[in-house]
């Protein structure tokens, strides 16, 4: 007899980004379940209320700082779904923690991102959905299907509202050139600038912008990056762009971590505006910051869920 799949999906979320889960739940018409609590000794406890038997279970969990607990919540929710006989377990991970540790860049270091992916696959996750994963090759860390969506789907319309006619797209390092090129295409920008960034791999979070190529004199510049952590990369890049005559400097990055004194650094920089998404739940300080605009990825993720349920292609969300 053919396997019977009941089309009543379940949407679970951990503690990382309940606002985003609610926004997605509303858009797809599925109530959000919150199965995570903690014991007195701070161990994570997961108990899912709805019946998951033969249902597709979507688990929304961003794994940003403190990433380790969030990863454990995700693994425990997936294990509960597997033991509860879910037909398919789909992890939606808008920001994938550890994704910058995606290669062995010096001797005697782990490939931490690969370790995390292996743990997720072992917990029973059948499919992964991310937004702007730091490097796309990470999809090869598992044999499971992995759809990486692009934040540009929701960011580009907001940039277009700024009516920047003589726009230059800037990549703050050589690794970001492909993403910058895609933004240039969508925004009809004729020029791309690249800042040359040097990172000392023996130190954590230390980088320097040393030079740049491209003509930005008298023009509006949009720096495109995937992550803002300490803010060092974008602040240093903005310094170079301003020194070379940029009229205005905006930044867009999908994931706003804002570690340490990143907000203060941005305050004191020549950056006019920073556009991020809510892939990581923004604190009150971030959402009320005068230079920061937050665009929700809820419509993008809801559309991906809808297409997965109907069996439609999601490649038009990707390309
Ligand atoms: C690096 O390769 C990334 O794309 C980002 O540019 C980087 O992670 C940003 O980090 P930070 O804000 O600490 O400079």
């Amino acid at each position: 007899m053919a396997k019977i799949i009941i089309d009543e999906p379940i949407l679970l979320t951990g503690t990382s980004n309940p606002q985003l889960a609610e926004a997605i739940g509303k858009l797809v018409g599925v109530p959000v379940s919150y199965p995570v609590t903690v014991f007195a000794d701070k161990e994570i406890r997961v108990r899912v209320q709805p019946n998951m038997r033969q249902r597709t279970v979507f688990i929304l969990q961003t794994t940003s700082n403190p990433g380790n607990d969030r990863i454990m919540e995700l693994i425990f929710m997936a294990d509960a779904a597997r033991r509860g006989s879910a037909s398919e377990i789909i992890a939606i991970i808008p920001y994938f923690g550890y994704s910058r540790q995606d290669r062995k860049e010096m001797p005697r270091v782990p490939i931490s991102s690969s370790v995390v992916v292996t743990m997720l696959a072992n917990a029973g996750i059948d499919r992964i959905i991310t937004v702007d994963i730091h490097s796309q090759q990470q999809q090869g860390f598992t044999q499971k299907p992995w759809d990486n969506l692009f934040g540009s789907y929701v960011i580009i319309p907001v940039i277009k509202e700024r009516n920047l006619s003589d726009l230059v797209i800037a990549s703050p390092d050589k690794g970001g050139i492909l993403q910058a090129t895609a933004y240039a295409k969508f925004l009809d920008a004729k020029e791309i600038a690249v800042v040359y960034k040097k990172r000392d791999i023996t130190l954590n979070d230390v980088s320097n912008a040393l030079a740049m190529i491209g003509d930005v004199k008298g023009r509006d510049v949009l720096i495109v990056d995937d992550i803002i952590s300490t803010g060092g990369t974008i602040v240093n890049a903005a310094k170079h762009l301003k020194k070379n005559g940029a009229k205005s400097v905006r930044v867009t990055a999908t994931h706003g971590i804002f570690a340490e004194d990143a907000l203060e650094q941005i305050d004191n920089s020549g950056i006019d505006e920073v556009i991020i998404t809510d892939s990581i739940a923004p604190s009150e300080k971030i959402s009320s910051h005068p230079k920061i605009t937050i665009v929700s990825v809820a419509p993008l993720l809801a559309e991906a869920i809808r297409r997965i349920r109907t069996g439609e292609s999601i490649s038009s969300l990707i390309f």
Side-chain angles (χ1 to χ4, degrees):
M1 196 176 124
K3 201 173 171 191
I4 299 167
I5 311 256
I6 298 164
D7 186 32
E8 277 171 40
I10 304 283
L11 177 55
L12 307 180
T13 193
T15 59
S16 60
N17 203 336
Q19 306 89 319
L20 179 59
E22 282 298 326
I24 294 169
K26 270 200 192 95
L27 289 168
V28 295
V30 175
V32 183
S33 298
Y34 297 88
V36 177
T37 51
V38 277
F39 284 105
D41 64 358
K42 302 282 181 262
E43 276 189 5
I44 294 160
R45 183 186 191 201
V46 167
R47 179 162 183 245
V48 180
Q49 295 289 347
N51 171 23
M52 294 181 283
R53 197 169 285 277
Q54 297 302 342
R55 287 169 167 82
T56 301
V57 175
F58 291 93
I59 308 176
L60 181 102
Q61 179 79 325
T62 225
T63 53
S64 54
N65 52 327
N68 302 339
D69 274 3
R70 266 93 194 245
I71 290 166
M72 291 314 291
E73 288 178 14
L74 174 55
I75 286 172
F76 294 153
M77 286 187 281
D79 190 64
R82 178 173 57 176
R83 292 174 197 278
S85 302
S87 59
E88 192 180 10
I89 304 168
I90 301 177
I92 305 177
I93 312 171
Y95 173 73
F96 196 108
Y98 289 100
S99 67
R100 288 180 290 174
Q101 297 187 54
D102 57 356
R103 64 197 178 285
K104 201 169 165 191
E105 60 183 354
M106 59 180 140
R108 298 180 295 280
V109 297
I111 303 181
S112 307
S113 169
S114 166
V115 174
V116 173
V117 173
T118 303
M119 290 195 299
L120 298 182
N122 288 345
I125 287 167
D126 298 300
R127 174 186 288 274
I128 296 175
I129 298 178
T130 49
V131 182
D132 287 326
I133 186 82
H134 182 62
S135 57
Q136 300 231 32
Q137 302 90 301
Q138 292 179 57
Q139 291 169 83
F141 289 162
T142 174
Q143 295 305 313
K144 311 272 181 194
W146 180 332
D147 299 306
N148 180 53
L149 308 175
F150 292 158
S152 54
Y153 180 85
V154 290
I155 292 172
I156 296 278
V158 175
I159 312 270
K160 281 188 173 159
E161 283 169 14
R162 303 293 183 267
N163 288 322
L164 305 163
S165 55
D166 193 12
L167 183 62
V168 177
I169 307 295
S171 173
D173 52 34
K174 60 182 186 318
I177 294 175
L178 272 183
Q179 198 185 9
T181 311
Y183 269 77
K185 188 176 135 210
F186 289 130
L187 290 165
D188 270 334
K190 305 277 174 290
E191 292 250 7
I192 291 184
V194 181
V195 178
Y196 173 58
K197 174 175 96 174
K198 201 160 177 220
R199 192 178 274 287
D200 183 341
I201 57 168
T202 63
L203 299 172
N204 297 346
D205 301 304
V206 178
S207 68
N208 255 313
L210 300 177
M212 62 155 287
I213 49 172
D215 178 13
V216 295
K217 202 165 188 260
R219 304 165 93 176
D220 295 309
V221 180
L222 176 70
I223 299 174
V224 177
D225 206 352
D226 58 341
I227 299 169
I228 299 172
S229 181
T230 64
T233 300
I234 55 164
V235 167
N236 289 335
K239 231 182 260 168
H240 264 275
L241 294 161
K242 278 275 160 117
K243 205 170 81 192
N244 282 272
K247 183 165 83 177
S248 72
V249 176
R250 283 183 173 73
V251 176
T252 186
T254 313
H255 312 293
I257 298 176
F258 301 107
E260 297 174 345
D261 63 345
L263 289 179
E264 224 167 57
Q265 280 212 58
I266 290 167
D267 278 338
N268 301 327
S269 73
I271 296 171
D272 298 278
E273 184 184 13
V274 176
I275 299 160
I276 56 163
T277 76
D278 58 356
S279 64
I280 296 171
S283 66
E284 173 54 32
K285 216 169 155 192
I286 295 168
S287 39
S288 61
H289 194 282
K291 282 190 181 181
I292 298 179
T293 302
I294 303 170
V295 190
S296 182
V297 285
L300 171 66
L301 295 172
E303 183 59 15
I305 290 175
R306 192 189 69 74
R307 292 185 190 200
I308 287 169
R309 288 180 64 195
T310 57
E312 280 170 67
S313 158
I314 63 170
S315 60
S316 64
L317 291 175
I318 295 176
F319 300 108

